[in-house]
Amino acid sequence: MDRPIRVTVWNEFIHERRDESVRAIYPRGMHAVIGDALVRELGERVTVRHATLDMPEHGLTDEVLEATDVLTWWGHWAHQDVSDEIVAKVVDRVRRGMGLVVLHSAHFSKVFRTLMGTSCRLRWRGGEDRELVWTVNPAHPIARDVPVPIVIPEQEMYGEFFDIPAPDELVFVSSFSGGEVFRSGCCFYRGHGKIFYFSPGDQEYPVYHHPAVGRVLANGVEWTAPAAGVLGSEYAPELCETGWYDEEIAKQGAAQAEALAAEAKAGVR
Amino acid sequence: MDRPIRVTVWNEFIHERRDESVRAIYPRGMHAVIGDALVRELGERVTVRHATLDMPEHGLTDEVLEATDVLTWWGHWAHQDVSDEIVAKVVDRVRRGMGLVVLHSAHFSKVFRTLMGTSCRLRWRGGEDRELVWTVNPAHPIARDVPVPIVIPEQEMYGEFFDIPAPDELVFVSSFSGGEVFRSGCCFYRGHGKIFYFSPGDQEYPVYHHPAVGRVLANGVEWTAPAAGVLGSEYAPELCETGWYDEEIAKQGAAQAEALAAEAKAGVR
Amino acid sequence: MDRPIRVTVWNEFIHERRDESVRAIYPRGMHAVIGDALVRELGERVTVRHATLDMPEHGLTDEVLEATDVLTWWGHWAHQDVSDEIVAKVVDRVRRGMGLVVLHSAHFSKVFRTLMGTSCRLRWRGGEDRELVWTVNPAHPIARDVPVPIVIPEQEMYGEFFDIPAPDELVFVSSFSGGEVFRSGCCFYRGHGKIFYFSPGDQEYPVYHHPAVGRVLANGVEWTAPAAGVLGSEYAPELCETGWYDEEIAKQGAAQAEALAAEAKAGVR
Amino acid sequence: MDRPIRVTVWNEFIHERRDESVRAIYPRGMHAVIGDALVRELGERVTVRHATLDMPEHGLTDEVLEATDVLTWWGHWAHQDVSDEIVAKVVDRVRRGMGLVVLHSAHFSKVFRTLMGTSCRLRWRGGEDRELVWTVNPAHPIARDVPVPIVIPEQEMYGEFFDIPAPDELVFVSSFSGGEVFRSGCCFYRGHGKIFYFSPGDQEYPVYHHPAVGRVLANGVEWTAPAAGVLGSEYAPELCETGWYDEEIAKQGAAQAEALAAEAKAGVR
């Protein structure tokens, strides 16, 4: 994009205010740390705002959404408390081009489940597993400058079978001390939008403080950002009578002929 | 499968009874012709029953669903009249393993839209286009014994952009006289189930009488059929404490050791 | 297929005759154990023959190849000793429809590397890792009746980045005690053929005696088998002048019209 | 990339000098027009150099290759005259990260065929077909600012079955007046590199003068450009003894702990 990517970091923000153990790790809230990581990695290429569940309209008013290029989403305890109306607006805007970065337990958010069409269930264990995040597609933009492996000393285990559609692009696969594996970095194209799901990030562990995780989130924001902006309205094509693209035929034909004529003048043997 | 595939052919069955032009093509209903095609192609490998919108529970009672390995779905005029409760049961059973073959305008059915998570919209024209269905993956089972191209003399034009997730496997791509193209044979894995979408089949044209189309539907039924049956309940893993698969470790370790011991006896130098 | 699948199990057969430790596990050769597993799992649905490196033409004479529906390949020490001429014949036949099941260190065989177009390199360690093979696509035919996870008590570690093209279908992902992960069950469509790569199977460990591994190999043979047989010659289309498919237009148009006429007679209101 | 993308436009440059009809369209050579299009679209984001078959080492000396981020390739008449040594160097550099944009008849180049592992054959006709290029993934970066459809008044027909591996990402599908279809915009990840194949571009038609085609080529160059540069040597991992990534464990653990400590100081309730 030719202008800074406008990111809205959405966070449930319940655990940090309710659980002492989480507050100790994220006293300013997970969203503050995520936002800081994006700014640290992307500098002037990004501007960040925050929104949380308890704000009016969950902080996702029409005004905020229309000024959002990429939305990141972390939720866990209160998926059911996100209003269906806001969910519908978010889903609609993703289909129109807004990028979506889905984090950890947000695999079970209404927004992600609606866009995936599957149950999005997985195996899990809140133990003392170390997670190793391995790159399986080093050519992918989201793998840029990411160490191999990413070592997360303590994390909640997420294990296969992860009931999602096969990712359009699989970037990372994780292992856990207990032996389980998980497709932890998954890219999806949906409508005019792009979605990146990244699994590390349980609230009990300081995962979003991990510099490499910040790098991945930044890469994810850049990859999901809509280069050509977001459509003004949903994709809903009209009946296409014969001749419906005649204007393109004429316009493009003229452009090509013009360029060819210019070449004839410019051509040197 | 080791027993016949039990297919339920679901049809809206409104056009055939309301529109003279459609009744002339499908006097017994589209479902009868589709069912006949499956039996003609698969013989004893399949048993067919029918269900229509106007039946109690749309003919998809618990008893019928539990005896269905593959459900085919054709709808157009009355997607909104399919009860949400039945839609939920069908979607749940697909995720548990039931095959689903989605036909033509059923791209816009509640069942398909829920499973895809996208708008499923497309460009269209009810004109006099000839459709040519081209095979782009000849190694795919659904392409077996299908002529190249399939020539459908008259069909409703469906054109890109077809707002679906990229198919896990793309088998057919169609062209239309007006120049449009369409990904017309699309395979999806969703949960424990498989879905095949095939686009030709507007009610105004005798498409389901076309032998090659019958061949494709039969291939689609065989491909989507759940080889290992349908799960008894939805995939909803429990918390997986460390040691949760110890039983597999013991059982498989013993089996491998046993086989190795047998080999030692059988081995000849 | 309507007749038994004709499988040729190709094995380098060097380690079994040279290394005491391997001979103790596979006294009759790895190929004998693999062949037995296929027969045990598939019964009359399969017939098996063997071929080894040291046979004339590596046992892959024209006669043998033409009677082969699926070729399995295990090699490790002597990839370079497989003649380029035989490699070319095998690659050609896979592109024409012959199934190919590639095992373990055969990731580095000339046949597989030619078909993949990538280096096929990977990380490895011959230690004491336990391998766990996890199913990531339970709807896939190759996952049928496979326990979750497959526990292989001792195996050579294979780790990402595994330099292959992204599999068309990813069925299994493995973890190792050392923390590494590997895409261990990979499906590819290439030309008119199908390829299944399955990584467990180092010669120092009795992996092919493992019943679940035998199940996977059997599933892989069934999935890769060419339902419509193998093309008689390579796919090499001619110049397609306008009208090149007119015959199909006429034939199919007549067939559809005929079926429609029959329906008019059969139709009951 | 943070610096201009260094593009080398490779062209066979035989037809322009041999065929009057082609010279009339491309008097300065196809490569000049392609290069101009890239500069017009990307401005300072790109620098362009040219290389042709008849140059020493086909213009692809080690010096040139090492200064190339993205290589575009057009060839038709003389694929066999490209030296195997240069082909090997190009293929190696693509696997190490260099982007590759393959144009039209270069589907049959040694470089592309080696990387694909398939025959890359297709149906064709040098007639008077109009080609329409349709976007099937509007969210993809390569689809950015591309009109729908791209109308190419006259083009050589390329038709399915196009014997390539299924693209990792399919961006465009074309139709031709004769009814054929073709997957015309295909993305592949191979090793550490990315490949974009775009089919329009027969030498007898002024396709590379078409502004929309120039837009696609520019998007393709940006998409294939290696954000993190090209690896210094081929990916060839060593034996990975247990403990091989201990350094990452220590380094990353320290970094995360440090960030967490900083947060404790910064945290405000």
Side-chain angles (χ1 to χ4, degrees), chain A residues 23 28 130 132 134 138-140 149-151 169 189 194 206 209-210 244-245 249 252 256 259 263 269, chain D residues 23 28 130 132 134 139-140 149-151 169 189 192 194 206 209-210 244-245 249 252 256 259 263 269:
Chain A
R23 186 164 54 250
R28 298 180 295 132
R130 177 180 73 186
L132 300 173
W134 298 94
H140 199 279
I150 301 177
V151 183
E169 296 154 20
Y189 295 89
K194 292 181 283 292
H209 290 285
H210 195 305
W244 67 274
Y245 56 85
I249 298 175
Q252 295 182 34
Q256 184 178 280
E263 179 71 9
R269 287 294 304 286
Chain D
R23 185 162 56 250
R28 297 181 295 135
R130 176 180 74 187
L132 300 173
W134 299 93
H140 199 278
I150 299 177
V151 183
E169 295 153 20
Y189 295 89
H192 289 71
K194 292 182 282 293
H209 291 287
H210 194 305
W244 68 273
Y245 56 86
I249 298 175
Q252 294 182 33
Q256 185 180 279
E263 177 72 9
R269 286 294 304 285

Side-chain angles (χ1 to χ4, degrees), chain C:
Chain C
M1 302 187 81
D2 299 326
R3 55 172 178 70
I5 303 170
R6 302 166 301 177
V7 182
T8 297
V9 177
W10 193 90
N11 181 25
E12 203 177 73
F13 200 26
I14 289 180
H15 285 287
E16 297 93 315
R17 294 184 289 195
R18 189 193 75 182
D19 304 338
E20 184 60 47
S21 54
V22 181
R23 187 165 52 249
I25 299 170
Y26 296 112
R28 297 179 296 132
M30 214 175 292
H31 48 287
V33 174
I34 290 172
D36 286 359
L38 294 179
V39 171
R40 178 189 74 230
E41 296 289 332
L42 298 175
E44 289 182 356
R45 296 212 297 281
V46 74
T47 63
V48 175
R49 67 194 300 169
H50 303 114
T52 58
L53 179 71
D54 59 323
M55 290 177 174
E57 294 182 71
H58 309 314
L60 299 174
T61 61
D62 288 350
E63 191 189 5
V64 168
L65 281 176
E66 266 157 52
T68 298
D69 300 313
V70 177
L71 174 67
T72 76
W73 194 283
W74 195 102
H76 178 239
W77 189 256
H79 297 307
Q80 67 284 353
D81 294 343
V82 180
S83 91
D84 291 345
E85 188 184 356
I86 297 297
V87 168
K89 287 184 179 183
V90 169
V91 166
D92 169 70
R93 192 166 166 86
V94 171
R95 291 175 180 160
R96 288 193 280 125
M98 178 174 77
L100 182 70
V101 178
V102 182
L103 302 173
H104 188 63
S105 40
H107 71 88
F108 216 61
S109 64
K110 291 181 180 178
V111 168
F112 189 64
R113 295 185 80 182
T114 302
L115 286 162
M116 291 296 105
T118 53
S119 78
C120 298
R121 292 181 183 275
L122 42 77
R123 296 189 181 280
W124 59 278
R125 170 177 60 247
E128 291 182 356
D129 290 82
R130 177 181 72 188
E131 176 172 0
L132 300 172
V133 183
W134 298 94
T135 296
V136 299
N137 186 354
H140 200 279
I142 292 182
R144 174 188 182 180
D145 292 338
V146 173
V148 174
I150 301 177
V151 183
I152 303 177
E154 272 188 297
Q155 237 287 103
E156 175 177 26
M157 180 282 287
Y158 270 10
E160 297 286 341
F161 167 58
F162 182 24
D163 187 8
I164 51 167
D168 294 318
E169 295 153 22
L170 179 64
V171 187
F172 303 117
V173 174
S174 289
S175 71
F176 295 86
S177 305
E180 293 88 355
V181 302
F182 197 74
R183 289 165 291 163
S184 46
C186 304
C187 295
F188 305 92
Y189 295 88
R190 290 297 186 269
H192 288 71
K194 292 182 283 292
I195 303 167
F196 174 56
Y197 173 78
F198 189 58
S199 57
D202 187 84
Q203 69 278 2
E204 298 288 343
Y205 312 104
V207 179
Y208 294 115
H209 290 286
H210 194 306
V213 170
R215 179 71 248 170
V216 171
L217 296 187
N219 290 344
V221 160
E222 288 198 294
W223 183 78
T224 57
V230 175
L231 296 184
S233 58
E234 62 166 350
Y235 172 70
E238 300 282 333
L239 157 62
C240 293
E241 297 284 18
T242 304
W244 68 273
Y245 56 86
D246 282 351
E247 194 181 323
E248 285 295 330
I249 298 175
K251 188 167 73 177
Q252 295 181 33
Q256 184 179 281
E258 193 176 316
L260 180 56
E263 177 72 10
K265 288 188 185 161
V268 180
R269 289 292 302 283

Side-chain angles (χ1 to χ4, degrees), chain D residues 10-24:
Chain D
W10 194 90
N11 181 25
E12 201 176 75
F13 201 25
I14 288 179
H15 285 287
E16 297 94 317
R17 293 184 289 194
R18 190 193 73 183
D19 304 338
E20 185 59 48
S21 53
V22 181
R23 185 162 56 250

Side-chain angles (χ1 to χ4, degrees), chain D residues 39-111:
Chain D
V39 171
R40 179 189 73 231
E41 296 289 331
L42 298 174
E44 289 182 357
R45 296 212 296 281
V46 73
T47 63
V48 175
R49 69 194 300 168
H50 304 113
T52 59
L53 179 71
D54 60 323
M55 291 177 176
E57 293 181 70
H58 309 315
L60 299 173
T61 61
D62 289 348
E63 191 188 5
V64 169
L65 280 176
E66 267 156 52
T68 298
D69 299 314
V70 177
L71 174 67
T72 76
W73 194 284
W74 195 101
H76 178 238
W77 189 257
H79 297 307
Q80 68 285 354
D81 294 344
V82 180
S83 92
D84 291 345
E85 188 184 356
I86 296 298
V87 169
K89 287 184 180 183
V90 169
V91 165
D92 169 69
R93 192 165 167 86
V94 172
R95 291 175 180 161
R96 287 192 281 124
M98 178 173 77
L100 182 69
V101 178
V102 183
L103 302 174
H104 189 63
S105 39
H107 71 88
F108 216 62
S109 63
K110 291 181 180 179
V111 168

Side-chain angles (χ1 to χ4, degrees), chain D residues 121-143:
Chain D
R121 292 182 183 277
L122 42 76
R123 296 188 182 281
W124 59 279
R125 170 177 61 246
E128 290 181 358
D129 290 80
R130 176 180 74 187
E131 176 172 1
L132 300 173
V133 183
W134 299 93
T135 296
V136 299
N137 186 354
H140 199 278
I142 292 182

